[in-house]
Amino acid sequence: MSDTRHTTREMLPEPTLRRLPWYLAYVKTLDAKHVEHVSSTQIAKRLNVDASQIAKDLSFLNIKGKTRIGYEVHPLTKALNEFLGFKYRHNAFLVGTGSLGSALMRDLGLQQYGLNIVAGFDVDPSIVGTTVAGIPIYDFNELAARQRSTGVSIAIVAVPFENAQDVANALVESNIKAIWNFTPYRIKVPRNIVLQNTSIYADLALMYNRMEQNGSNAKTATK
Amino acid sequence: MSDTRHTTREMLPEPTLRRLPWYLAYVKTLDAKHVEHVSSTQIAKRLNVDASQIAKDLSFLNIKGKTRIGYEVHPLTKALNEFLGFKYRHNAFLVGTGSLGSALMRDLGLQQYGLNIVAGFDVDPSIVGTTVAGIPIYDFNELAARQRSTGVSIAIVAVPFENAQDVANALVESNIKAIWNFTPYRIKVPRNIVLQNTSIYADLALMYNRMEQNGSNAKTATK
């Protein structure tokens, strides 16, 4: 990895970073079919993104297409996979092993993207000591000690939203450097901590709303 | 539900719609503690959103705070829950019952937000005929017939990304009106179909990238 690339990575705007996984998913399908080259026009047509935007996005990775030939599919796939961090293993703790939390522990899909959940944590004594998908579940009180012994820096938060802030505070004190928040609660963390929110339920609300607009929302009153 | 409200809902901008679930999560915690009133200033401080923005967002629901008193917590909680569609039951099919798909079937959290997965679909004959969390899994070829008999209009797509577009095409032909895409593949659908992408892996890439910037990315080469 060159220093130059590292520098360009730091300046990478979020919209670019959000488009790169689309390009990766597309070129992976081509790579699987042993297609050798792809033009930005082809990617553009397939993904509904401007060809000039694609060229600009990929230039952040110091990747340039060749005139008339385009990009080499296999090297592009490898470069995107590396750049996005998916080819590295990042160990993580998961806090809150309820329905969503244990679903994430079972979802081996995350491993393909470099996320390796090494331990779960909960406060429920009937769950502590058990395993989910072979991953041990410890008492939440042990998290700080286990962070010290393992050096894990990522924590996934899947607790009930009422507890999200308290858990986040405890994680920061336990030397966790990045929090992936799956609760709908907007937790606050110090500036030096990376916070990533994944708002599954906001996406759901958006989908319901758009269906309502289309008159295609077949819903039933329940509560 | 008044026609007026329906009209304002149709004009609702996406950023507002994405903030409403934060407000809901926060006022729910207050409601659970039997707090009666909350001011937009309080919400603002807690969630790091401008107080004027909050007032504007909530005005889309025809909700206005009272001077000095603020919003009534319980009615606000109910109104947000209804407005976001979480209090209604929306039946859905899930396509692709692999690790991510079956994790979603097991995640009862979705039910709290009004999403009720009634059937899973797969192409693997060893999985067809089994159940996950009590939900039956059928052959993908049966989807159109089961849509006709049930009227289900939402399909969650959790197939390998190589198959995402083919599956989406088949869903559209099967009279599915809304697709919730969990694959990193950017599928295309006709204009009258609601498409919601949830890019868990893009969020992950973003988190890795921000950790890299902070120098807190403890990663290991794997492949």
Side-chain angles (χ1 to χ4, degrees), chain A residues 79-139:
Chain A
L80 280 165
N81 207 37
E82 174 163 351
F83 187 83
L84 291 168
F86 295 156
K87 70 165 274 195
Y88 300 103
R89 189 172 67 206
H90 306 77
N91 290 333
F93 287 157
L94 183 134
V95 186
T97 62
S99 48
L100 175 60
S102 56
L104 291 168
M105 290 168 85
R106 281 195 198 93
D107 176 17
L108 305 175
L110 290 171
Q111 285 210 339
Q112 285 178 40
Y113 294 88
L115 194 79
N116 185 39
I117 301 175
V118 295
F121 293 89
D122 211 291
V123 290
D124 182 344
S126 72
I127 293 173
V128 170
T130 65
T131 63
V132 169
I135 303 163
I137 299 173
Y138 303 113
D139 192 297

Side-chain angles (χ1 to χ4, degrees), chain A residues 9 18 45-47 87 89-90 113 165 185-186 188 198 203 208-209 217 220 222-223, chain B residues 9 18 45-47 87 89-90 113 165 185-186 188 198 203 208-209 217 220 222-223:
Chain A
R9 181 192 289 218
R18 291 203 164 272
K45 206 176 158 189
R46 189 58 204 78
L47 299 180
K87 70 165 274 195
R89 189 172 67 206
H90 306 77
Y113 294 88
Q165 187 62 57
Y185 196 80
R186 199 154 186 246
K188 278 187 166 182
T198 290
D203 289 347
Y208 293 157
N209 184 272
N217 198 357
T220 331
T222 44
K223 7 182 178 174
Chain B
R9 182 191 291 220
R18 291 202 166 273
K45 207 176 159 189
R46 190 59 204 76
L47 300 179
K87 69 164 276 191
R89 189 172 65 207
H90 307 77
Y113 295 87
Q165 187 62 57
Y185 196 82
R186 199 154 187 245
K188 279 187 165 182
T198 290
D203 290 346
Y208 293 157
N209 184 273
N217 199 359
T220 331
T222 45
K223 3 179 182 177

